[in-house]
Amino acid sequence: MPSPTPDPPVGAAVPGQVPVPARHPRLDPLADRYAARTHGMKSSEIRALFSVVSRPEVVSLAGGMPAVTALPLDAVGSMIGELVSGMGAQTLQYGSGQGDPRLRERICDVMALEGITDASPSEVVVTVGSQQGLDLVTRVFVDPGDVILAEAPSYVGALGVFQAAQARVQHVLMDDEGLVPEALEDALIECRARGDKVKFLYTIPNFHNPAGITLTEERRGKVMEIADRYDLLVVEDNPYGLLGFDREPMRALRARDAERVIYLGSFSKTFSPGLRVGWVLAPLAVREKLVLATEAQVLCPPSLTQYAVARYLDTQPWQQQIKTFIELYRERRDACLDSLSALMPPGTTWTKPDGGFYVWLKLPRGLDAKLMQPRAVSAHVAYVPGIGFYADGQGKEYMRLSYCYPEPDQIREGVRRLARVVEAELDLHSTFDGVDTGTFRRVGSTPASPSLVGPASTDQIGDQP
Amino acid sequence: MPSPTPDPPVGAAVPGQVPVPARHPRLDPLADRYAARTHGMKSSEIRALFSVVSRPEVVSLAGGMPAVTALPLDAVGSMIGELVSGMGAQTLQYGSGQGDPRLRERICDVMALEGITDASPSEVVVTVGSQQGLDLVTRVFVDPGDVILAEAPSYVGALGVFQAAQARVQHVLMDDEGLVPEALEDALIECRARGDKVKFLYTIPNFHNPAGITLTEERRGKVMEIADRYDLLVVEDNPYGLLGFDREPMRALRARDAERVIYLGSFSKTFSPGLRVGWVLAPLAVREKLVLATEAQVLCPPSLTQYAVARYLDTQPWQQQIKTFIELYRERRDACLDSLSALMPPGTTWTKPDGGFYVWLKLPRGLDAKLMQPRAVSAHVAYVPGIGFYADGQGKEYMRLSYCYPEPDQIREGVRRLARVVEAELDLHSTFDGVDTGTFRRVGSTPASPSLVGPASTDQIGDQP
């Protein structure tokens, strides 16, 4: 809005008024035209690392890239080539906004592996990765100022969606058994007292990103009981559920409640992220809104990639391939955990994932993973600083280590470099006494509550069915 | 939120209070939880036709599906198969949010064909079709209540995006030379007087969807002069620009102003819509916002489809293929226009496209394309009623006919059926006198202004450089 009076000169304080910064010169001539949501958008901690981690001398424990070269590339290439040559009229053409019906049927088969046996293809919406699924759910439900509950920490890409939607995120404590039910109930009571509109709980129950933790069977029951009691929607994000190292997949939250849970799935970790095929399973009324939202956003998901996934599930030994991935990731997890145990200085703690891609590491007291990052990069190792996984600036003492992509030897070398950097930091800070024992910091509105004992206090996340 | 007092029984009036409707039973238990934007979403006129047009006995002049079977499917299949077999580590992996650098270079080559010679790959963002590009631009710029100017009529998918963004659309008159500059200026003056925030003009200058009209060279200069004078951003949507039947591509608006025009491009009509590869060309500051927005929405566009397009542009005779498409669409356009001239009853008028996919037809006075639709479907012909292309419910006397997909014989048969339906309607309505001469209805805020003479008053849209 043009002001009727001229802008004051730079730095000039007008009595009784907050000084107005000069409008010229400015870097972006459109700066005053953006939508309100745009001003809050910022680059993620992960993207900031892109240029670093692509340097060959750097061991990257930062990105969460699956090991796609473990796929039978020749067979997949032939399969996709034939889809285009033989079915170009379908695979190169527009499709439906909801997604290919055949793929939606096969998606229901995949979900059955996690106990979701009542899903209908009509309740499935195919999305451009589960990222788009989360964005659609958020657009359909969330007005600016609404509250979303999410674990502390939570997936950085989800926080980006919530920020773009101008939502407020209230973090809920997790420990080595996953989301803490009492903390969830406390958060709901608090939000109700404040009059907040809580639109949903966003949770990653299996092999959490970034925490590497899995919600126990007992906790699943408690979380859903609380959701029922407080009439809370749950958005269950489950990209890693089939990638457990030691046991069969756990029963999804959605398998317990078809009306209260919106389920997000993905083929990015079980097949290929470069195809960007994910999905949402939602009650029919919500499904209808999601289809309208995705039509406005992308018209329809790519046909070729949907046909590729459906054909892959139809003709390739995909369950065997998942076992191949599991063995590969287990070996890398072992390389990571063994090296951490052997090399990290006292006071450093970390989670012990039994599936998925990530270890969540807490530095000795006084160290800051973000501040330490330039020195780590100089030492040719990269990680993601923990603050990216909180909506409120917490988490500076944490980092996420991904073991999914580098070879075991690289992982060991990366941890060796990281350990040296941490030791040098400790020398610098001279904080060898008073290190704590690796608890999760409770983030949110009840800082006075005692922190529950964190995941690093047990040897293994195990003990789950 | 649970109420502290029980809900009143159905229909019970509480003294001094507005009666509260019973909450149970209701069709959608989540109806009171959706975001404000969700309540305005509705199914498009095109999707409502999906089940109809797939019936083999129906000649569909409804959908805008390109003739992908005219592609060399074997060659494209081999090419894509080899991309997966030989480069699976890249094509099946995550990529950058902005899109593959090699593809962005080639996109700049494509845009050079329309006079955009100063574009840098760093200013290009690859999107999941240009639909996502428009959605991103809208998210970055538009707050609820902001105004977007758009031609009357405008692309139905754009109106869906604007509706989801809770924008207000002000339509601007177009005639057979495209957007009317004086009407644009009038709209800007009017918006300024009302204090509206006009975020941008959305325009399709070439072979307009649905109107089939191209903005003349002279008008391009005038529109940009007005944009400059009123400091107006222009979003130029150009999926059809290379599909002109009679002449070289016209110079894009973006070629005239790199700072004021955000350009949307697409490979859906020149290669394949099933790959969903489009792009936005925007000034660097805007580009940065778009990348943040797309990362929140889809993380990154699919790698495989981007590599497929880049490889196609690198290795296949894509400009020759566009000429093949042009000949095919020209033949279909001729079949459509010739049949319309031969068969439609007096008082029916239509545009004469010299490129692209669409004819915009106006029914004789008194007829309503939406009301007539069930009878057309019974007669086994489908079209899109015009009201879908206006944000304000206007356009009932119009319909869009797409000649891009059916074979010429089918087109002729479809027009024959349509002509019979129109004649039967005319008999029914007995409105043979008083038919008008095919003017565009001015839509928007100045209904008292005289309508300008519409496109059907000239024999041909030609006379443009």
Side-chain angles (χ1 to χ4, degrees):
Chain A
M1 285 285 190
S3 167
T5 54
D7 292 330
V10 185
V14 179
Q17 287 187 15
V18 177
V20 178
R23 294 178 61 205
H24 303 281
R26 51 186 177 184
L27 288 169
D28 180 359
L30 299 172
D32 55 0
R33 307 231 186 151
Y34 296 122
R37 71 177 70 83
T38 304
H39 297 292
M41 290 181 186
K42 61 182 192 341
S43 187
S44 82
E45 289 294 328
I46 292 180
R47 180 146 70 99
L49 289 168
F50 266 12
S51 57
V52 166
V53 301
S54 58
R55 284 158 48 192
E57 70 273 21
V58 173
V59 173
S60 175
L61 303 170
M65 295 193 298
V68 292
T69 50
L71 287 164
L73 295 179
D74 282 338
V76 175
S78 301
M79 182 196 86
I80 295 178
E82 284 162 21
L83 277 174
V84 173
S85 304
M87 294 181 64
Q90 293 80 43
T91 57
L92 298 182
Q93 189 56 274
Y94 290 112
S96 94
Q98 188 177 355
D100 175 51
R102 174 78 189 144
L103 174 60
R104 287 189 277 116
E105 279 177 26
R106 299 313 313 269
I107 284 171
C108 290
D109 298 342
V110 172
M111 290 190 291
L113 298 178
E114 302 189 83
I116 302 172
T117 52
D118 62 342
S120 152
S122 65
E123 297 168 317
V124 174
V125 181
V126 180
T127 55
V128 183
S130 65
Q131 182 79 21
Q132 195 213 359
L134 181 59
D135 187 68
L136 292 174
V137 170
T138 304
R139 283 179 98 165
V140 162
F141 282 101
V142 177
D143 284 313
D146 287 349
V147 169
I148 295 167
L149 303 178
E151 285 124 2
S154 187
Y155 167 51
V156 59
L159 298 178
V161 170
F162 302 154
Q163 184 185 57
Q166 298 167 272
R168 291 181 292 144
V169 173
Q170 167 121 8
H171 283 295
V172 179
L173 187 73
M174 67 189 303
D175 63 18
D176 57 348
E177 298 190 337
L179 188 72
V180 177
E182 295 75 18
L184 174 62
E185 183 157 16
D186 286 350
L188 285 162
I189 291 169
E190 207 177 287
C191 287
R192 188 174 275 192
R194 276 201 307 258
D196 290 339
K197 280 194 188 171
V198 178
K199 285 299 172 81
F200 54 78
L201 165 69
Y202 169 76
T203 181
I204 307 166
N206 297 310
F207 320 121
H208 187 275
N209 179 0
I213 288 171
T214 295
L215 189 65
T216 61
E217 184 68 24
E218 189 197 347
R219 289 261 180 104
R220 286 175 195 234
K222 284 188 180 168
V223 165
M224 290 313 300
E225 184 274 318
I226 290 168
D228 211 45
R229 194 142 41 81
Y230 286 82
D231 196 13
L232 174 70
L233 268 185
V234 176
V235 176
E236 177 178 28
D237 191 3
N238 189 26
Y240 309 102
L242 297 179
L243 294 178
F245 301 153
D246 304 317
R247 52 177 163 70
E248 292 300 298
M250 288 183 71
R251 195 156 159 261
L253 299 176
R254 166 59 178 73
R256 299 162 186 270
D257 192 329
E259 292 303 316
R260 190 169 293 293
V261 180
I262 296 173
Y263 178 98
L264 304 178
S266 173
F267 290 104
S268 290
K269 278 78 184 183
T270 52
F271 180 26
S272 155
L275 302 179
R276 312 300 303 116
V277 179
W279 72 90
V280 186
L281 173 68
L284 277 178
V286 176
R287 189 283 322 255
E288 181 58 19
K289 306 292 185 192
L290 294 171
V291 172
L292 291 170
T294 196
E295 285 175 341
Q297 201 169 88
V298 299
L299 280 187
C300 60
S303 299
L304 177 60
T305 55
Q306 293 183 79
Y307 274 88
V309 173
R311 181 64 64 92
Y312 178 77
L313 296 173
D314 272 342
T315 65
Q316 304 286 316
W318 63 275
Q319 299 207 50
Q320 190 54 45
Q321 179 62 40
I322 289 176
K323 288 190 181 134
T324 302
F325 280 131
I326 285 173
E327 289 313 308
L328 184 145
Y329 294 134
R330 184 215 306 275
E331 188 188 357
R332 293 175 185 191
R333 187 271 318 255
D334 289 344
C336 186
L337 293 186
D338 291 350
S339 303
L340 287 169
S341 294
L343 299 168
M344 292 305 276
T348 316
T349 56
W350 53 88
T351 56
K352 318 287 192 305
D354 63 346
F357 286 8
Y358 307 110
V359 168
W360 186 235
L361 181 142
K362 187 178 188 189
L363 292 169
R365 192 190 297 276
L367 299 200
D368 181 319
K370 174 78 173 169
L371 294 178
M372 198 177 82
Q373 193 179 23
R375 284 183 282 270
V377 170
S378 295
H380 295 166
V381 61
Y383 55 80
V384 184
I387 55 168
F389 302 94
Y390 295 86
D392 54 7
Q394 297 294 313
K396 67 186 175 54
E397 65 274 40
Y398 290 97
M399 65 175 65
R400 189 189 75 178
L401 301 179
S402 308
Y403 52 78
C404 48
Y405 191 71
E407 304 275 345
D409 278 351
Q410 290 176 290
I411 293 170
R412 282 185 277 266
E413 177 58 26
V415 171
R416 188 172 307 126
R417 293 173 188 174
L418 182 63
R420 280 202 293 263
V421 172
V422 175
E423 279 168 355
E425 286 287 292
L426 282 172
D427 282 344
L428 203 67
H429 287 256
S430 301
T431 54
F432 281 99
D433 35 318
V435 295
D436 74 12
T437 52
T439 58
F440 269 86
R441 177 192 286 266
R442 175 188 277 261
V443 173
S445 50
T446 52
S449 314
S451 286
L452 299 193
V453 175
S457 63
T458 57
D459 281 347
Q460 181 65 29
I461 302 291
D463 299 323
Q464 293 146 347
Chain B
M1 287 285 181
S3 167
T5 55
D7 292 332
V10 185
V14 179
Q17 286 186 15
V18 177
V20 178
R23 293 177 64 204
H24 304 281
R26 50 187 179 183
L27 287 171
D28 181 357
L30 299 172
D32 54 0
R33 310 234 184 145
Y34 297 122
R37 71 176 71 81
T38 304
H39 297 291
M41 291 182 184
K42 61 183 192 340
S43 187
S44 83
E45 291 293 328
I46 291 179
R47 179 147 71 98
L49 290 169
F50 266 12
S51 57
V52 166
V53 301
S54 58
R55 284 158 47 192
E57 70 274 21
V58 172
V59 172
S60 175
L61 303 170
M65 294 193 298
V68 293
T69 50
L71 287 164
L73 295 179
D74 283 337
V76 175
S78 300
M79 182 197 86
I80 294 178
E82 283 161 22
L83 277 173
V84 173
S85 305
M87 294 182 65
Q90 293 80 44
T91 58
L92 298 182
Q93 190 54 276
Y94 290 113
S96 94
Q98 189 177 354
D100 175 52
R102 174 79 189 145
L103 174 60
R104 289 188 277 115
E105 280 177 26
R106 298 314 312 271
I107 284 171
C108 290
D109 298 343
V110 172
M111 291 189 290
L113 299 178
E114 302 189 81
I116 303 172
T117 53
D118 61 343
S120 152
S122 65
E123 297 169 317
V124 174
V125 181
V126 180
T127 55
V128 183
S130 65
Q131 182 79 20
Q132 196 213 358
L134 181 59
D135 187 68
L136 292 174
V137 169
T138 304
R139 283 179 99 165
V140 162
F141 282 101
V142 177
D143 284 313
D146 286 349
V147 169
I148 296 167
L149 304 178
E151 284 125 0
S154 187
Y155 166 51
V156 59
L159 298 178
V161 170
F162 303 154
Q163 184 185 56
Q166 299 167 270
R168 290 181 293 143
V169 173
Q170 167 121 9
H171 283 295
V172 180
L173 188 72
M174 67 189 304
D175 62 17
D176 58 347
E177 297 190 337
L179 188 72
V180 177
E182 295 74 18
L184 174 62
E185 183 158 15
D186 286 350
L188 285 163
I189 290 169
E190 206 177 288
C191 288
R192 188 173 277 192
R194 277 202 304 258
D196 290 338
K197 280 194 188 173
V198 177
K199 284 301 172 78
F200 54 78
L201 165 68
Y202 169 76
T203 181
I204 307 165
N206 296 310
F207 320 120
H208 187 274
N209 179 0
I213 288 171
T214 295
L215 189 65
T216 62
E217 184 68 24
E218 189 197 346
R219 289 264 179 101
R220 287 173 195 236
K222 283 188 181 167
V223 165
M224 291 313 300
E225 184 275 317
I226 291 168
D228 212 45
R229 195 143 39 82
Y230 287 81
D231 196 13
L232 175 69
L233 268 185
V234 176
V235 176
E236 177 178 27
D237 191 3
N238 189 27
Y240 310 101
L242 297 179
L243 294 178
F245 301 152
D246 304 317
R247 51 177 163 72
E248 292 300 299
M250 289 183 72
R251 197 156 156 261
L253 298 176
R254 166 59 179 74
R256 299 162 187 269
D257 193 329
E259 292 303 316
R260 189 168 295 294
V261 180
I262 296 173
Y263 178 98
L264 305 178
S266 173
F267 290 105
S268 290
K269 280 78 184 183
T270 53
F271 179 24
S272 155
L275 303 179
R276 313 299 303 120
V277 179
W279 72 90
V280 187
L281 173 69
L284 277 178
V286 176
R287 190 281 326 253
E288 180 58 19
K289 306 292 185 192
L290 294 171
V291 172
L292 290 170
T294 196
E295 286 175 342
Q297 201 169 89
V298 299
L299 281 187
C300 60
S303 298
L304 177 61
T305 55
Q306 293 183 79
Y307 274 88
V309 173
R311 181 64 63 91
Y312 178 77
L313 296 173
D314 272 342
T315 65
Q316 305 285 317
W318 64 274
Q319 299 206 49
Q320 190 54 46
Q321 178 63 40
I322 289 177
K323 288 190 182 135
T324 302
F325 280 132
I326 286 173
E327 290 313 307
L328 183 145
Y329 294 134
R330 185 216 306 275
E331 189 188 355
R332 294 176 184 191
R333 186 268 322 253
D334 290 344
C336 186
L337 293 185
D338 291 350
S339 303
L340 288 169
S341 294
L343 299 168
M344 291 307 275
T348 317
T349 56
W350 53 89
T351 56
K352 316 288 193 306
D354 63 344
F357 286 7
Y358 307 110
V359 169
W360 186 235
L361 182 142
K362 188 178 187 190
L363 292 169
R365 190 190 299 275
L367 299 201
D368 180 320
K370 173 77 174 170
L371 293 179
M372 198 178 80
Q373 193 178 23
R375 283 183 282 272
V377 170
S378 296
H380 294 167
V381 61
Y383 54 80
V384 184
I387 54 169
F389 302 93
Y390 295 86
D392 54 7
Q394 295 295 313
K396 67 184 174 57
E397 65 274 42
Y398 290 97
M399 65 175 66
R400 189 189 75 178
L401 301 179
S402 307
Y403 52 79
C404 48
Y405 192 71
E407 304 275 346
D409 279 350
Q410 290 177 289
I411 293 171
R412 282 185 276 267
E413 177 58 27
V415 172
R416 189 172 307 127
R417 294 174 188 173
L418 182 62
R420 280 202 293 262
V421 172
V422 175
E423 281 168 354
E425 285 287 292
L426 282 172
D427 283 345
L428 203 65
H429 287 256
S430 300
T431 54
F432 282 98
D433 34 318
V435 295
D436 74 11
T437 53
T439 58
F440 268 86
R441 178 192 286 266
R442 174 187 279 259
V443 172
S445 51
T446 53
S449 314
S451 287
L452 299 193
V453 175
S457 63
T458 58
D459 280 347
Q460 181 66 26
I461 302 293
D463 301 321
Q464 294 145 346

